[in-house]
Amino acid sequence: MRYLLFDDMSRCTETEVDRMLPLVSTQRRENALKYKHLFGQWAELKSWLMLQELIGEDVPNAGQAWHYNQYGKPYIAGGLEFSVSHCKQGIAVAIDKTPIGIDIESIREVKPELVHRTMNETEQRIIGDSATLFTVFWTRKEAFLKYKGTGIIDDLQHVLENTEDVTFETIIKPTYICTICYRK
C-alpha cells in the first residue's frame, strides 16, 4: 500500500490549473473543466497527477481499458486498485494490489442530527461533541466503504461492525483527518 497526502491548498490557483491541464489526458482535462469552481478543477487535476506519481510507469495509456466494478468504482487494468479523496484542506490518493479506500475530511462543527443518523450508540457516546472524533469515525466509514467498492449505500450506523479483515490508518492534522483502509 502506498499513499500521498497534499495539503498546500494555497496552490489552488488559475495559474496552477493552467499549468496542470497539458499534463493529463484529454479525458481528464475534460473532466476537470466540467467543474464550475476553481477548487474542483484544481483538485481533479492535482489528484490525478498524484495518482500518476504513485503508479509510476504503470500508468495506462489512453487506449488501455480502465475497469469498473458493479458500483462504478474504477480500477486499473491488471488489478491495481486506487482510491482518491479531497476536501477543502487536502487531497489524498492511495494505491494497492488489493482493495483500498481512503477518505480525507475537514474537521468542522458536529451537527447532532448527523451524528444520530450516521453513528451507532457506542460511537455517539465516544464522540460526544468532539468534531475531531466525529471526523475520525466518518473517515473510517467512508474509507471502508471505498475499500468495499460500494460508496455510501450501506446503513452508516453499522458500517464498522464487520471490519476484522481490514486495517485502518488514521492521520490526524489540525484542520483535517485522513483514514486509509486496506486488507490485513
Side-chain angles (χ1 to χ4, degrees):
M1 181 268 302
R2 295 189 322 237
Y3 69 91
L4 288 174
L5 287 177
F6 182 85
D7 60 9
D8 181 4
M9 304 315 265
S10 68
R11 304 273 309 266
C12 178
T13 64
E14 286 184 37
T15 302
E16 189 66 3
V17 167
D18 290 342
R19 183 192 70 77
M20 291 188 290
L21 281 169
L23 303 177
V24 300
S25 70
T26 302
Q27 177 190 2
R28 291 291 152 205
R29 201 172 309 130
E30 289 171 1
N31 285 351
L33 294 175
K34 285 180 185 175
Y35 287 92
K36 293 179 184 178
H37 300 287
L38 177 66
F39 177 78
Q41 295 173 2
W42 179 79
E44 174 77 14
L45 293 166
K46 183 64 180 171
S47 61
W48 185 253
L49 291 171
M50 289 168 64
L51 179 61
Q52 286 181 313
E53 183 179 337
L54 279 175
I55 296 170
E57 297 176 14
D58 298 328
V59 175
N61 295 324
Q64 290 180 297
W66 286 72
H67 300 282
Y68 298 86
N69 75 8
Q70 64 186 9
Y71 301 102
K73 180 182 180 186
Y75 61 95
I76 299 169
L80 187 61
E81 302 270 345
F82 67 94
S83 187
V84 175
S85 184
H86 58 78
C87 67
K88 292 288 185 186
Q89 305 300 322
I91 299 171
V93 179
I95 64 168
D96 201 4
K97 296 251 184 228
T98 63
I100 191 155
I102 195 165
D103 189 50
I104 187 170
E105 296 289 337
S106 302
I107 300 172
R108 56 187 178 273
E109 181 184 346
V110 178
K111 296 188 172 158
E113 61 276 3
L114 183 60
V115 174
H116 292 296
R117 194 172 69 247
T118 60
M119 303 293 158
N120 65 38
E121 288 181 17
T122 302
E123 293 164 345
Q124 289 176 37
R125 277 194 303 278
I126 294 168
I127 291 166
D129 62 356
S130 170
T132 299
L133 289 175
F134 173 79
T135 308
V136 167
F137 277 104
W138 183 266
T139 60
R140 285 175 63 108
K141 289 177 185 224
E142 274 211 44
F144 181 66
L145 292 170
K146 288 179 176 184
Y147 163 86
K148 286 176 44 178
T150 62
I152 300 179
I153 64 166
D154 295 333
D155 173 8
L156 289 177
Q157 288 187 344
H158 303 287
V159 164
L160 298 178
E161 290 178 358
N162 297 306
T163 59
E164 298 83 23
D165 63 334
V166 298
T167 297
F168 292 98
E169 287 187 28
T170 300
I171 299 135
I172 300 174
K173 297 287 186 171
T175 59
Y176 69 87
I177 293 175
C178 179
T179 298
I180 307 155
C181 178
Y182 55 93
R183 187 175 292 155
K184 283 186 178 177

